[in-house]
Amino acid sequence: MADKIKDAKIVFVVGGPGSGKGTQCEKIVAKYGYTHLSSGDLLRAEVASGSERGKQLQAIMQKGELVPLDTVLDMIKDAMIAKADVSKGYLIDGYPREVKQGEEFEKKIGAPALLLYVDAKAETMVQRLMKRGETSGRADDNEETIKKRLDLYYKATEPVIAYYEKRGIVRKVSGNTD
Ligand SMILES: Nc1nc2c(ncn2[C@@H]2O[C@H](COP(=O)(O)OP(=O)(O)OP(=O)(O)O)[C@@H](O)[C@H]2O)c(=O)[nH]1
Ligand SMILES: Nc1ccn([C@H]2C[C@H](O)[C@@H](COP(=O)(O)OP(=O)(O)O)O2)c(=O)n1
Ligand SMILES: [Mg+2]
């Protein structure tokens, strides 16, 4: 029932790969009790399930590309509905990755109250992801894919920030907790 989330408070969390979106979201959850939904985590859960769709997603993510828009949007919507009865609001982490993703979300679900922009230097992001790659087991935490994710971030995702900037709902936070 999509009606259940019609008036939900929505916060988009956007930032480069390894900027610290997940880390900042955990802190917000601890303080404000919002429901954290990481689009990347939802996609990786589908991959881990071993489904046919998961295999296709894995191939795309390994290359550092974006998965089809409808796939990730459906997953977010289902996850939101599943938490609707207990949720005070949603942190949608890693979404939108491109302006089109934001437009579709608004059509199918609703408008964000805020966009949290997690800011970090490219050099910092690369260093963190290379370090994370030593233990994460993530197929995309390798030098070649990290570079592609970063390029795509500057090309497709940074315009998302400018888009919501015009609506006055962007808040910039540092991705550095230390
Ligand atoms: N030193 C330091 N490391 C951090 C900080 N924030 C996050 N990290 C590390 O940087 C890596 C990336 O952080 P995440 O929170 O996973 O970043 P993300 O933006 O969710 O990255 P993706 O999962 O690639 O989307 C992790 O290994 C974190 O432990 C910080 O403030 N300082
Ligand atoms: N809205 C989204 C979120 C993630 N993806 C894909 C593409 C991303 O590189 C991977 C992993 O996403 P995740 O947010 O976990 O990681 P990065 O920010 O790219 O480091 O999933 C997508 O296509 N669309
Ligand atoms: Mg993350």
Side-chain angles (χ1 to χ4, degrees):
M1 270 294 286
D3 267 6
K4 280 178 120 177
I5 52 170
K6 190 163 62 50
D7 300 315
K9 171 140 181 155
I10 291 157
V11 178
F12 286 156
V13 183
V14 172
S19 57
K21 300 181 293 290
T23 305
Q24 294 299 323
C25 283
E26 275 172 37
K27 291 174 58 171
I28 297 170
V29 169
K31 201 163 169 194
Y32 299 101
Y34 276 32
T35 303
H36 175 208
L37 296 175
S38 157
S39 49
D41 287 352
L42 293 172
L43 292 167
R44 282 185 287 279
E46 182 71 28
V47 171
S49 79
S51 69
E52 201 43 52
R53 181 162 80 159
K55 290 194 185 101
Q56 290 163 10
L57 296 175
Q58 162 88 342
I60 297 169
M61 289 160 73
Q62 202 155 3
K63 286 191 276 182
E65 294 169 4
L66 293 181
V67 309
L69 189 155
D70 291 337
T71 307
V72 58
L73 189 52
D74 283 349
M75 281 180 185
I76 293 174
K77 192 172 171 190
D78 289 347
M80 287 178 75
I81 291 169
K83 297 275 178 160
D85 291 331
V86 293
S87 190
K88 288 194 231 167
Y90 297 91
L91 295 169
I92 311 292
D93 164 5
Y95 192 100
R97 290 297 233 266
E98 53 183 357
V99 171
K100 185 108 202 332
Q101 285 192 0
E103 288 171 346
E104 286 302 309
F105 186 103
E106 295 199 41
K107 264 191 229 158
K108 292 200 176 150
I109 301 175
L114 208 70
L115 183 146
L116 220 55
Y117 161 34
V118 181
D119 183 34
K121 284 193 299 191
E123 190 193 325
T124 308
M125 296 192 259
V126 173
Q127 269 170 16
R128 285 180 184 174
L129 294 180
M130 289 300 289
K131 178 138 188 28
R132 189 174 71 183
E134 291 168 14
T135 53
S136 70
R138 270 181 61 163
D140 56 353
D141 280 347
N142 64 75
E143 197 168 0
E144 196 189 336
T145 311
I146 290 167
K147 189 177 177 306
K148 285 201 204 147
R149 284 151 72 198
L150 209 58
D151 286 348
L152 188 60
Y153 168 70
Y154 290 118
K155 204 168 100 218
T157 313
E158 272 203 342
V160 171
I161 299 163
Y163 179 87
Y164 289 100
E165 205 60 270
K166 288 194 199 119
R167 299 201 340 215
I169 61 164
V170 174
R171 296 288 175 279
K172 180 164 149 179
V173 294
S174 166
N176 266 314
T177 50
D178 46 21

